[in-house]
Amino acid sequence: MYHHRLSQRPNPLCIIIIFLTLPTISAIVFLTLSSQTPLIKIPKPKPTITSLIHTQIANTTCDGTLYPDLCVSTISTFPDLLLKSLPQIIAATVNHSVTEVRASESNCSGILRTIPELAPLDKQALDDCIELLDNTIAELKTVIADLSANKTTSKHFRDLQTLLSGAMTNQYTCLDGFAYSKGNVRPYIEDRLDKISHHVSNALAMLRKIPAANAAAHGGGEVFPEYGKPIQQRGGFPTWVSRKDRRLLQAAVNQTRYNLVVAKDGSGNFTTIGEAVAAAPNSSETRFVIYVKGGAYYENVEVERKKTKLMLVGDGIGKTLVKDNRNVVDGWTTFRSATFAVVGNGFIAKGITFENYAGPSKHQAVAFRSGSDFSAFFQCSFIGYQDTLYVHSLRQFYRDCDIYGTVDFIFGNAAVVFQNCNLYARKPDDNQKNIITAQGRDDPFQTTGISIISCKIAAALDLIPVQSSFKTYLGRPWKQYSRTVYLLSNIGDLVDPAGWLEWSGNFALSTLYYGEYKNKGPGSNTSDRVTWPGYKVISNSTEASQFSVGNFILGDDWLPTYNISYSRNLTS
């Protein structure tokens, strides 16, 4: 206790009381006392009219978001809120998110820099996070620029939804990288990443309040501009494939003009695919074609964000092969295990086999990963076991392709359509089941999902003799709002009568959307299917059509330029 000695004539108006706590002074409080007056209470400032209006605007704008408290507390701080339009408020929210993404990226870099004893898997997961956060910044900046452009078409709003959906997916992918880590890094980054995802979710929800977007919206946050209208059969590919690209894809190999040639025998410009990709121009606005001659290329290839409009043409399935065996058991994250990975937008591949031959006992081992918007694959093969094809994010299209695997062998959170493809379940490990899809939609406002149209689901050659020993399912819910549909497909007898498998107990069973529409084959009988709240047998052609190429990935806006055949609508 600190004692203060008073003089003989103390001041009756003021006594200074000092409180000490060990080991330091915790507070010094000055109390003004008077024998005539009580203690003075300082009143809280009354809210101004401006702050009340800001709060009201924020509350109205944030109505319907999943994280309203965060939304209101963020928006109410924006200056001149009364003068901002809804797109400007959304842009400001996204801009606020960019600042937080940069802080998270710096946080990850700081952990790498200051903790040298990190386990190798933690280091790799942090490297993944830095790349994913960088992609998030690029996607969010595009959203801000697009919102500032004052565009009002349905396609424009679908572009915004796609970019925001992809940006949100990146944060969860970052955290997924620590699933097998033995360290304690995740808690140091998780809260920041969750907050970023919540901001982006709120932006997605607010976007639906814009009249042009709302007029085009149909349930669950999707924008289907032609939903409910007659769909004209155009044949071929989604419209985002240009006429020039369509000619490239339909042309024979010896009739295609190439910018670079890769050949193992030294007869081309390069002997490895990685060298050719590195030599391709950055930020290209025109198609750049690399011809990869027949042969097996044992390498891991990554097409970075700056490598846009790239096309790889091979000599055909089983002739031009890209192979490697990275896997989780040997110390790779699932994200980084991919034999071939692409992020640069507008990527196309034709006539190539992508393989991860790690084997079923090595668990997650990706053959191909795409986070490329408007990516398309024609007459390609993807071979692996668990997690063969990682359809990570944004819009993707697969036509006349073969996909082989065991556990969750098509997975991710893209808006993706498989059309006229063959999905082959292989022989897994003795303690495993085959699950064809594991869709990763985290948020009900994300415009993502897996749409499988006019495909064949069958047993691969190695499974056929032992098919009765292993159960095979159409999918299971990797994330809370998992969404997958099978439409007009031929489902073989390998598929269990229940059709679908739980992920863990009741997780996501009422929030997922799994549907089947007019499938055929011995495995298509739905009488013994699961009875989950989120599963349904689709009987309405209008509902089914929202998952067509033309509607689900707005294929008519980009596929025609690629010269890949596609059916924009459901044909029966």
Side-chain angles (χ1 to χ4, degrees):
M1 174 69 72
Y2 177 82
H3 296 278
H4 178 70
R5 183 175 174 179
L6 299 176
S7 64
Q8 278 187 325
R9 299 177 66 111
N11 185 339
L13 298 178
C14 183
I15 298 174
I16 302 175
I17 303 172
I18 304 176
F19 297 96
L20 301 182
T21 59
L22 295 176
T24 60
I25 297 173
S26 63
I28 300 177
V29 182
F30 293 83
L31 297 179
T32 303
L33 303 178
S34 172
S35 58
Q36 286 83 25
T37 58
L39 292 175
I40 299 172
K41 294 183 179 180
I42 301 173
K44 293 182 180 179
K46 292 182 178 180
T48 65
I49 293 177
T50 301
S51 66
L52 288 171
I53 292 174
H54 274 219
T55 302
Q56 181 60 43
I57 293 172
N59 278 309
T60 301
T61 305
C62 295
D63 183 46
T65 62
L66 295 185
Y67 310 98
D69 291 344
L70 176 65
C71 183
V72 171
S73 65
T74 302
I75 289 178
S76 59
T77 64
F78 295 159
D80 303 321
L81 189 58
L82 195 59
L83 303 177
K84 283 182 166 59
S85 66
L86 182 53
Q88 288 172 328
I89 293 173
I90 298 171
T93 302
V94 175
N95 190 54
H96 180 85
S97 302
V98 170
T99 302
E100 297 196 349
V101 175
R102 291 191 192 282
S104 289
E105 191 172 25
S106 177
N107 183 40
C108 291
S109 298
I111 295 171
L112 277 172
R113 189 173 56 252
T114 58
I115 309 179
E117 65 273 16
L118 281 173
L121 191 57
D122 283 329
K123 289 181 179 178
Q124 192 181 126
L126 284 167
D127 282 334
D128 292 351
C129 288
I130 291 169
E131 177 182 330
L132 288 158
L133 289 166
D134 194 52
N135 291 340
T136 296
I137 290 171
E139 288 160 359
L140 295 183
K141 280 186 170 181
T142 302
V143 168
I144 294 168
D146 284 356
L147 283 167
S148 302
N150 261 337
K151 298 176 183 175
T152 58
T153 64
S154 298
K155 175 187 178 298
H156 167 65
F157 289 111
R158 190 53 178 268
D159 289 343
L160 295 174
Q161 289 176 311
T162 296
L163 290 165
L164 290 170
S165 297
M168 194 188 307
T169 298
N170 293 336
Q171 319 319 307
Y172 292 116
T173 303
C174 164
L175 294 175
D176 287 339
F178 296 94
Y180 297 95
S181 166
K182 296 180 181 178
N184 198 31
V185 173
R186 178 170 172 151
Y188 290 98
I189 66 173
E190 187 167 13
D191 287 346
R192 288 173 181 260
L193 294 176
D194 283 344
K195 190 174 182 181
I196 292 165
S197 296
H198 296 171
H199 277 305
V200 176
S201 172
N202 287 339
L204 269 169
M206 287 187 286
L207 191 66
R208 299 177 72 222
K209 295 174 178 286
I210 297 175
N214 188 53
H218 171 74
E222 289 77 58
V223 171
F224 302 117
E226 295 179 347
Y227 180 79
K229 298 179 181 179
I231 300 175
Q232 301 301 316
Q233 172 66 33
R234 194 174 292 176
F237 299 75
T239 54
W240 40 260
V241 180
S242 70
R243 182 172 291 130
K244 184 177 180 180
D245 286 335
R246 199 159 58 236
R247 286 197 299 269
L248 277 172
L249 286 162
Q250 292 177 338
V253 170
N254 59 5
Q255 296 175 335
T256 304
R257 195 174 206 175
Y258 311 108
N259 299 99
L260 291 174
V261 177
V262 178
K264 290 182 67 68
D265 60 8
S267 61
N269 304 99
F270 300 99
T271 57
T272 69
I273 300 170
E275 290 174 306
V277 169
N282 295 334
S283 304
S284 177
E285 295 292 330
T286 58
R287 182 63 57 195
F288 190 88
V289 183
I290 298 174
Y291 168 43
V292 185
K293 287 188 175 181
Y297 297 82
Y298 289 85
E299 56 180 306
N300 289 92
V301 181
E302 294 195 23
V303 179
E304 299 175 310
R305 172 172 289 279
K306 62 186 178 182
K307 300 294 181 180
T308 56
K309 303 282 282 186
L310 196 62
M311 178 179 184
L312 262 62
V313 179
D315 280 327
I317 290 175
K319 296 178 181 178
T320 297
L321 305 95
V322 190
K323 302 165 66 100
D324 207 273
N325 66 344
R326 289 181 179 177
N327 61 84
V328 166
V329 171
D330 290 342
W332 298 92
T333 60
T334 302
F335 184 79
R336 198 62 63 183
S337 70
T339 299
F340 200 109
V342 55
V343 180
N345 288 340
F347 180 84
I348 306 176
K350 173 190 174 184
I352 299 176
T353 291
F354 303 94
E355 182 176 358
N356 190 314
Y357 56 88
S361 62
K362 294 292 187 176
H363 300 294
Q364 292 93 333
V366 176
F368 195 98
R369 165 170 55 85
S370 177
S372 166
D373 202 13
F374 303 132
S375 54
F377 306 86
F378 184 50
Q379 296 177 350
C380 288
S381 179
F382 305 88
I383 302 175
Y385 289 89
Q386 183 169 348
D387 290 3
T388 302
L389 180 56
Y390 195 171
V391 289
H392 179 262
S393 56
L394 308 176
R395 286 163 288 198
Q396 305 178 27
F397 178 69
Y398 296 75
R399 169 84 184 201
D400 298 345
C401 292
D402 299 332
I403 303 102
Y404 296 81
T406 55
V407 180
D408 305 334
F409 65 90
I410 300 173
F411 76 111
N413 196 28
V416 56
V417 173
F418 294 87
Q419 196 173 79
N420 288 32
C421 293
N422 300 309
L423 314 182
Y424 293 112
R426 305 180 75 179
K427 180 181 180 295
D429 268 356
D430 289 342
N431 61 341
Q432 293 179 330
K433 303 177 181 69
N434 286 326
I435 305 102
I436 297 170
T437 66
Q439 205 281 324
R441 187 166 171 248
D442 292 287
D443 188 281
F445 298 119
Q446 287 181 307
T447 55
T448 55
I450 295 173
S451 178
I452 295 169
I453 305 173
S454 301
C455 293
K456 181 175 78 172
I457 293 83
L461 291 177
D462 61 345
L463 180 62
I464 290 174
V466 293
Q467 181 177 307
S468 60
S469 301
F470 299 95
K471 289 192 173 185
T472 298
Y473 297 90
L474 298 174
R476 61 174 179 164
W478 180 28
K479 302 289 184 179
Q480 186 76 51
Y481 295 93
S482 183
R483 180 165 60 179
T484 301
V485 294
Y486 287 77
L487 315 170
L488 306 173
S489 293
N490 193 322
I491 302 177
D493 61 359
L494 73 162
V495 173
D496 189 85
W500 307 81
L501 182 68
E502 299 87 352
W503 183 271
S504 178
N506 291 325
F507 171 74
L509 302 189
S510 60
T511 50
L512 59 78
Y513 181 101
Y514 285 168
E516 298 181 57
Y517 175 74
K518 289 190 175 181
N519 297 305
K520 57 186 178 181
S524 67
N525 189 331
T526 59
S527 59
D528 292 321
R529 286 294 196 252
V530 294
T531 57
W532 307 338
Y535 168 76
K536 67 184 305 182
V537 177
I538 302 172
S539 58
N540 187 306
S541 62
T542 306
E543 181 177 355
S545 72
Q546 66 182 294
F547 298 102
S548 67
V549 176
N551 285 336
F552 194 55
I553 57 173
L554 296 188
D556 291 340
D557 294 324
W558 54 290
L559 277 173
T561 64
Y562 288 17
N563 209 21
I564 302 176
S565 295
Y566 77 101
S567 298
R568 69 186 299 267
N569 62 309
L570 304 180
T571 56
S572 62

